[in-house]
Amino acid sequence: MSIKDTGLNLQYQYSRIFTFGLNRKKFVCSPKNNGFFALNNSRNTFIALGFTLFSCGLFFSGIIEGFVNGNEITTEFIAVFFIIHPIVATIGLRQFLWLINGRQELRIENGKMTLTKKGTFLTKTQTFELKDVQNVRNEVQESLLSTYDKTLRNIALNRKLLFSHIMGEILFDYKGKKVKLFNELTENQKVELITEINNLKEKPTHNNV
């Protein structure tokens, strides 16, 4: 192994620190007659968990500043500590709950595909006409990435987890938009999911599960 390859490998091993988190990995794939159900847990890292949990403390920042430190109660103080900080804390709590308890469910029946997120609040169910779902594909085959690209993906993971629920390892196009599915799947699980969706798309009718 060359000095360059050794250096890249060391960087890659270091970048894996950024991917460590609670082990919640779960994947369910259950075809039934002319329908289909799949489930996938949320992904997390200790860094993202710590950051979002810390942000939840902003709920109490106004009380601490106002009563413990004796700050003067002004309009600016109220705006920052009782409006802005609670909003940020709510966003952080929503993301924290998703990281420790979230899951995405995919259901196909009656010619419709439904995506539901559970485990946190302020989520929205998405419904798609299966016939309009196009180009169901693997977002990227990690086994084909170079060590350098894998390193960049590991480092970027925490930034994605802070702002997104779904990493999107499976993608499809729907009426000009790109839709993301699921997190942290093996290559075999990706192939299984893509195959099941495409098989249902090819059927002329879609009955109840």
Side-chain angles (χ1 to χ4, degrees):
M1 183 179 291
S2 67
I3 295 177
K4 179 180 178 181
D5 290 337
T6 300
L8 286 174
N9 186 60
L10 288 174
Q11 287 182 319
Y12 170 67
Q13 296 302 326
Y14 173 74
S15 73
R16 293 180 64 188
I17 296 174
F18 295 91
T19 68
F20 292 159
L22 300 177
N23 184 8
R24 301 187 62 248
K25 187 172 182 179
K26 182 177 182 181
F27 175 71
V28 173
C29 183
S30 179
K32 297 179 180 180
N33 299 325
N34 290 324
F36 177 71
F37 173 79
L39 178 148
N40 176 240
N41 282 24
S42 59
R43 186 171 183 173
N44 62 71
T45 66
F46 289 129
I47 295 175
L49 286 168
F51 185 88
T52 52
L53 181 59
F54 176 79
S55 69
C56 294
L58 293 176
F59 278 122
F60 311 103
S61 61
I63 296 175
I64 294 173
E65 288 293 324
F67 297 99
V68 176
N69 297 327
N71 291 46
E72 181 182 356
I73 306 300
T74 63
T75 302
E76 292 79 8
F77 180 90
I78 293 174
V80 171
F81 290 100
F82 290 97
I83 298 178
I84 297 177
H85 280 194
I87 291 175
V88 174
T90 300
I91 295 172
L93 176 60
R94 176 177 180 265
Q95 196 70 8
F96 177 75
L97 291 175
W98 173 259
L99 295 175
I100 64 171
N101 193 46
R103 65 188 184 277
Q104 186 179 38
E105 296 179 357
L106 165 66
R107 189 180 300 275
I108 299 177
E109 54 188 353
N110 300 325
K112 295 184 183 296
M113 174 189 289
T114 303
L115 289 175
T116 306
K117 289 189 288 187
K118 298 181 178 180
T120 189
F121 55 94
L122 296 178
T123 61
K124 182 180 179 181
T125 297
Q126 296 176 282
T127 302
F128 310 91
E129 294 293 335
L130 187 59
K131 61 183 178 61
D132 295 323
V133 172
Q134 304 295 328
N135 192 20
V136 185
R137 61 198 183 275
N138 190 344
E139 186 264 340
V140 65
Q141 289 183 296
E142 192 168 351
S143 60
L144 300 180
L145 294 178
S146 67
T147 302
Y148 177 74
D149 289 331
K150 289 181 181 178
T151 301
L152 293 182
R153 281 173 63 87
N154 287 342
I155 294 175
L157 178 63
N158 289 286
R159 175 178 54 81
K160 293 180 180 179
L161 288 173
L162 290 176
F163 299 102
S164 301
H165 285 178
I166 305 301
M167 300 299 100
E169 297 189 351
I170 300 296
L171 304 179
F172 66 83
D173 299 319
Y174 186 79
K175 297 183 178 180
K177 296 182 180 180
K178 185 183 296 184
V179 183
K180 302 178 181 181
L181 295 177
F182 290 7
N183 310 298
E184 203 173 10
L185 303 179
T186 66
E187 293 300 322
N188 288 338
Q189 289 169 345
K190 294 175 186 178
V191 171
E192 181 180 9
L193 187 61
I194 292 171
T195 300
E196 291 294 343
I197 295 174
N198 285 329
N199 285 344
L200 283 174
K201 278 182 57 62
E202 293 173 0
K203 292 185 177 182
T205 60
H206 307 278
N207 301 320
N208 291 331
V209 176

